[in-house]
Amino acid sequence: MQKLTNKEEEIMHILWKLKKAFVKDIMEEITEEKPHYNTLSTIVRNLEEKGYVSYTAYGKTHQYFPIITIEKYRKKFMNTAIDTYFNSSYKNLVSFFAEEEKISADELREILALIEKKK
């Protein structure tokens, strides 16, 4: 699975949300600075070449849809981030969020309960 650029990832989130979309539909969902139509079309074709999307052709028009699930992408992204930034340690990841006050003691207890329940 090739790494996505920030813009490609943004477009994938739109496609995951819409399930199927023409380039014009994707353009309507972009909230930040909208790219030129041809630029957006090129980004979507790049996603196709990378194996993230496919399409159904309607004459000269293409309706695109994701072929990689958000769950599969999330798993790859998270594993890469944990390996790269936390020395492959989930303990280091959780410690980071605790130190940044992004996770509470109650949330940690809930996570522990989930882990214990799976045993």
Side-chain angles (χ1 to χ4, degrees):
M1 191 180 306
Q2 290 186 34
K3 184 172 168 65
L4 297 181
T5 66
N6 290 341
K7 190 52 90 174
E8 288 170 340
E9 192 171 298
E10 177 186 352
I11 301 311
M12 281 306 301
H13 281 283
I14 292 170
L15 282 169
W16 284 319
K17 174 184 168 191
L18 297 178
K19 311 276 193 267
K20 294 187 262 184
F22 296 97
V23 172
K24 67 178 181 61
D25 300 324
I26 297 168
M27 183 71 79
E28 290 174 9
E29 293 289 319
I30 296 174
T31 56
E32 300 294 315
E33 186 177 328
K34 294 185 187 289
H36 187 276
Y37 183 92
N38 291 341
T39 302
L40 179 56
S41 184
T42 298
I43 294 168
V44 174
R45 282 195 310 276
N46 288 343
L47 288 167
E48 179 193 356
E49 289 174 16
K50 288 182 175 183
Y52 282 84
V53 302
S54 190
Y55 64 87
T56 303
Y58 297 96
K60 293 182 179 182
T61 305
H62 296 104
Q63 185 179 44
Y64 295 93
F65 54 90
I67 55 176
I68 298 289
T69 65
I70 192 168
E71 293 80 13
K72 186 173 181 180
Y73 182 75
R74 180 186 308 138
K75 184 176 182 179
K76 171 70 173 158
F77 175 81
M78 289 304 297
N79 286 338
T80 300
I82 291 165
D83 291 346
T84 303
Y85 298 107
F86 300 100
N87 296 327
S88 302
S89 168
Y90 289 90
K91 177 184 165 198
N92 289 347
L93 171 74
V94 173
S95 295
F96 169 79
F97 286 116
E99 289 170 13
E100 294 290 316
E101 297 179 2
K102 301 290 185 189
I103 192 167
S104 69
D106 286 339
E107 289 169 320
L108 286 171
R109 280 189 278 280
E110 287 177 36
I111 292 168
L112 283 172
L114 287 171
I115 292 168
E116 291 297 325
K117 187 176 179 180
K118 293 209 179 219
K119 286 185 177 181

